[in-house]
């Protein structure tokens, strides 16, 4: 048998580097999740309206973000802006592009959730004197998140996987750090196995903590 | 006082209200009756500005509801409304349902809002249901919750839109009881109802809506027992026949 010889010690030595990369991945994932959510909430409401400039703006956003490759979106923010002499660090480029992508997908997820909330919920809260934003924040969105929770968390994890594109613009997030570490040793297989495991653990961690948050918020 | 003058309302090309004139005095209970589709719900929604109007004016304590300069959210605090569908907020407990608007709109502290909510829950007989979710309450309880929620904004007027129509017959009584209680406390009320008996015993005045206008208005005795308008007579004859029809169909 001419089997592959695993050398784990090299990966072990580089673990601090990988973990530093993982930390960058977690940061960008969470920030992009929050930014995407904050953008998607008003955009979903605008999409529901079906007319007006806000509707057209969010429709364009949704179309672009969902129908072009994520790597294009990253290059657009990193190199595209560079062409206009706007140079942004690779960290910012990845954060912006993953947030952009998240916002587009989340808008459609949220819109589906909003459609499931009876119209009268809004009249009921408006009739109590709540403004439109107050009604959405206190009455409509809490119900919407309950409906779309699974798809929403899945998108957050999808966003995390997208941060691995940071490797292509020289960002030392988890994939970038792995790429850097393995290039010195050529133990590619070992490195990417360990990295895949770390991604998996982060994903499970996100899933678990969001489920916990869900239970606390909705008492179920 | 609510003064409705020459109010016109259309949905697209469908004209629903053709010029409604109606004045509701402080402390009065006015029942609105009329056939299905005559625009009763629409009129209530116009009164608190949930629906825009195409002509005329509605004044609540002298303030024009549809004037763009009016702070409608402030004005709505004077106008409680309860709908046929209870519309409880399903993600909040009964207490939180009632406490939400006092906290968010009236800017009360959390503790004050909760105390106020408890007081209003007790008022409608739900004092021990504060921690229940709406899904754990019966239809009648949910409707009383909706009443408590509206009362917590301490409105000067209460608008009721067929609040017992979606209820099982055995739950109607408890909601009517709550409305009679409010009436005895002097609340000004506009009540859309198909319950002719409630109108007869509780209303100071009854208004009959037909073809987008107030076709007849007067005391319950005048409008219900001695209607002069031909449309009113027809409508009441049909309404009175209903219980009989139910008996007949259940026998058949
Ligand atoms: N949002 C809307 N868009 C279009 N048409 C509407 C809308 N709301 C009501 N209408 C129409 O306006 C008319 C009056 O409706 P409304 O609900 O006010 O009647 P109603 O007197 O309350 O009837 P019911 O006794 O059945 O509740 C109906 O013909 C209805 O189809
Ligand atoms: Mg109606």
């Amino acid at each position: 048998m001419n089997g592959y010889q695993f050398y784990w010690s090299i990966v072990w030595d580089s673990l601090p580097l990988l973990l530093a990369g993982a930390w960058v991945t977690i940061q960008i994932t969470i920030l992009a999740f929050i930014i995407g959510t904050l953008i998607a909430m008003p955009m979903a409401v605008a999409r529901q309206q079906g007319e007006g400039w806000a509707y057209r703006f969010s429709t364009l956003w949704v179309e672009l973000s969902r129908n072009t490759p994520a790597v294009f979106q990253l290059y657009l923010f990193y190199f595209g802006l560079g062409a206009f002499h706007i140079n942004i660090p690779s960290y910012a480029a990845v954060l912006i592009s993953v947030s952009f992508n998240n916002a587009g997908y989340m808008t459609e997820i949220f819109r589906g959730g909003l459609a499931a909330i009876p119209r009268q919920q809004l009249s009921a809260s408006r009739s109590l004197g709540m403004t439109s934003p107050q009604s959405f924040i206190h009455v409509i969105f809490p119900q919407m998140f309950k409906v779309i929770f699974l798809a929403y968390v899945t998108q957050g994890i999808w966003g995390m996987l997208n941060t691995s594109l940071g490797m292509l613009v020289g960002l030392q997030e988890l994939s970038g750090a792995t790429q850097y570490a393995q290039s010195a040793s050529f133990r590619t297989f070992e490195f990417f196995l360990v990295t895949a495991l770390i991604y998996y653990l982060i994903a499970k961690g996100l899933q678990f903590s969001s489920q916990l948050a869900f239970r606390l918020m909705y008492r179920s | 006082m609510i003064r409705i003058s020459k109010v016109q309302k259309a949905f697209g090309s469908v004209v629903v209200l053709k010029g409604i004139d109606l004045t509701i005095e402080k402390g009065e209970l006015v029942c609105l009756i009329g056939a299905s589709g005559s625009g009763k719900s629409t009129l209530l929604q116009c009164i608190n500005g949930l629906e825009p109007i195409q002509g005329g004016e509605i004044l609540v304590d002298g303030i024009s509801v549809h004037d763009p300069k009016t702070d409608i959210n402030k004005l709505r605090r004077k106008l409680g409304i309860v709908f046929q569908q209870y519309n409880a907020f399903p993600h909040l407990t009964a207490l939180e349902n009632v406490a939400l608007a006092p906290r968010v709109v009236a800017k009360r502290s959390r503790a004050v809002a909760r105390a106020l909510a408890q007081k209003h829950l007790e008022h409608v007989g739900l004092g021990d249901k504060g921690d229940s979710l709406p899904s754990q309450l019966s239809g009648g309880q949910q409707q009383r919750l909706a009443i408590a929620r509206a009362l917590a904004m301490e409105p000067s007027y209460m608008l009721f839109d067929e609040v017992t129509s979606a209820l099982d017959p055995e739950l109607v009584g408890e909601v009517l009881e709550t409305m009679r209680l409010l009436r005895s406390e002097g609340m000004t009320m506009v009540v859309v109802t198909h319950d002719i008996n409630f109108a007869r015993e509780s209303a100071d005045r009854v208004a009959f809506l037909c073809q987008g206008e107030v076709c007849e208005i007067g005391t319950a005795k005048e409008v219900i027992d001695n209607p002069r308008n031909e449309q009113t007579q027809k409508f009441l004859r049909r309404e009175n026949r209903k219980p009989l029809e139910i008996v007949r169909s259940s026998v058949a």
Side-chain angles (χ1 to χ4, degrees):
Chain A
M1 277 266 293
N2 190 10
Y4 184 85
Q5 279 296 119
F6 283 97
Y7 282 99
W8 293 109
S9 62
I10 288 171
V11 181
W12 185 249
D13 290 341
S14 302
L15 201 60
L17 186 73
L18 296 189
L19 290 181
W23 175 232
V24 174
T25 293
I26 292 173
Q27 282 172 22
I28 297 182
T29 299
I30 292 175
L31 285 175
F33 188 66
I34 295 170
I35 296 171
T37 302
L38 292 178
I39 296 172
M41 288 200 292
M43 288 217 301
V45 176
R47 287 275 290 158
Q48 247 207 335
Q49 238 110 58
E51 56 180 24
W53 66 266
Y55 166 75
R56 289 198 296 276
F57 175 82
S58 35
T59 302
L60 183 69
W61 188 314
V62 167
E63 292 292 322
L64 287 179
S65 60
R66 300 191 343 148
N67 297 304
T68 60
V71 63
F72 265 53
Q73 295 168 21
L74 173 60
Y75 279 6
L76 205 70
F77 288 112
Y78 191 66
F79 300 116
L81 288 180
F84 294 95
H85 303 291
I86 306 169
N87 289 304
I88 57 173
S90 53
Y91 186 101
V94 175
L95 178 58
I96 293 173
S97 67
V98 176
S99 301
F100 175 80
N101 191 267
N102 270 353
Y105 277 92
M106 286 174 179
T107 297
E108 286 306 85
I109 295 171
F110 291 178
R111 188 170 69 123
L114 289 178
I117 315 291
R119 247 175 51 94
Q120 294 95 324
Q121 288 284 311
L122 189 59
S123 352
S125 55
R126 293 305 307 272
S127 76
L128 291 166
M130 283 190 246
T131 62
S132 179
Q134 285 170 340
S135 303
F136 274 97
I137 290 168
H138 295 285
V139 175
I140 307 297
F141 284 134
Q143 296 182 54
M144 178 202 77
F145 278 112
K146 192 172 181 184
V147 175
I148 50 94
F149 192 75
L150 268 181
Y152 176 54
V153 172
T154 304
Q155 177 57 39
I157 291 170
W158 180 245
M160 178 198 70
L161 301 181
N162 275 344
T163 62
S164 64
L165 296 172
M167 182 169 83
L168 301 176
V169 294
L171 180 67
Q172 296 243 333
E173 38 65 55
L174 182 50
S175 295
T178 309
Q179 172 71 15
Y180 175 78
Q182 67 88 30
S183 64
S185 65
F186 300 108
R187 303 309 300 186
T188 312
F189 194 43
E190 286 90 333
F191 269 105
F192 279 102
L193 263 182
V194 170
T195 301
L197 180 68
I198 299 177
Y199 272 118
Y200 183 81
L201 292 177
I202 298 175
K204 284 292 144 184
L206 287 175
Q207 204 178 8
F208 180 75
S209 46
S210 49
Q211 266 161 7
L212 196 70
F214 181 83
R215 284 212 198 94
L216 289 177
M217 274 189 295
Y218 293 104
R219 296 172 277 244
S220 59
Chain B
M1 189 171 73
I2 300 176
R3 185 188 285 279
I4 301 164
S5 39
K6 303 196 179 62
V7 163
Q8 294 176 16
K9 168 75 195 174
F11 291 104
S13 59
V14 183
V15 181
V16 179
L17 305 179
K18 289 182 189 149
I20 299 277
D21 287 298
L22 181 63
T23 299
I24 295 125
E25 303 286 346
K26 206 97 216 196
E28 214 184 7
L29 192 159
V30 176
C31 276
L32 295 181
I33 60 172
S36 183
S38 58
K40 308 178 295 293
S41 301
T42 304
L43 181 59
L44 285 198
Q45 310 236 346
C46 290
I47 293 177
N48 78 351
L50 284 172
E51 287 288 351
I53 57 177
Q54 276 78 44
E57 189 174 44
I58 300 176
L59 297 175
V60 174
D61 292 341
I63 298 167
S64 172
V65 176
H66 294 90
D67 184 339
K69 289 198 280 289
T70 299
D71 180 351
I72 188 68
N73 295 313
K74 194 168 159 215
L75 188 61
R76 280 188 183 133
R77 291 165 63 173
K78 287 183 177 232
L79 296 159
I81 185 166
V82 183
F83 304 91
Q84 178 174 354
Q85 244 48 50
Y86 335 118
N87 299 338
F89 303 139
H91 60 300
L92 300 178
T93 64
L95 190 80
E96 291 164 345
N97 259 275
V98 182
L100 181 64
R103 198 159 57 75
V104 172
V105 180
K107 308 286 182 216
R108 312 258 191 163
S109 73
R110 193 173 286 264
V112 171
R114 288 178 76 88
L116 187 74
Q118 183 59 35
K119 183 183 100 180
H120 286 287
L121 283 179
E122 275 160 23
H123 195 184
V124 300
L126 294 174
D128 57 341
K129 296 289 182 195
D131 293 329
S132 305
L133 287 169
S135 57
Q136 298 163 328
L137 299 177
S138 74
Q141 289 170 333
Q142 288 192 52
Q143 200 54 295
R144 284 184 284 147
L145 172 60
I147 295 173
R149 185 172 70 182
L151 289 175
M153 291 310 289
E154 299 175 330
S156 317
Y157 306 92
M158 285 289 287
L159 315 175
F160 292 87
D161 189 1
E162 294 194 46
V163 293
T164 57
S165 302
L167 296 177
D168 291 336
E170 70 269 22
L171 301 176
V172 168
E174 61 190 67
V175 174
L176 292 183
E177 199 61 39
T178 304
M179 291 168 68
R180 288 192 196 99
L181 175 68
L182 291 184
R183 160 131 186 75
S184 71
E185 292 164 353
M187 174 63 76
T188 310
M189 296 159 74
V190 183
V191 181
V192 171
T193 184
H194 279 276
D195 189 333
I196 300 299
N197 285 326
F198 177 81
R200 185 186 279 121
E201 71 189 51
S202 304
D204 293 302
R205 284 189 302 152
V206 175
F208 174 69
L209 253 63
C210 69
Q211 285 148 8
E213 289 174 49
V214 176
C215 293
E216 187 160 0
I217 183 162
T219 63
K221 230 188 182 68
E222 290 164 355
V223 177
I224 295 176
D225 295 332
N226 302 296
R228 274 177 296 177
N229 183 296
E230 200 180 318
Q231 296 290 333
T232 320
Q233 292 167 356
K234 240 195 240 166
F235 171 77
L236 287 168
R237 237 178 285 134
R238 233 180 302 131
E239 286 294 307
N240 285 332
R241 216 179 312 123
K242 266 183 192 160
L244 261 182
E245 268 169 21
I246 293 163
V247 171
R248 217 179 291 139
S249 61
S250 64
V251 166

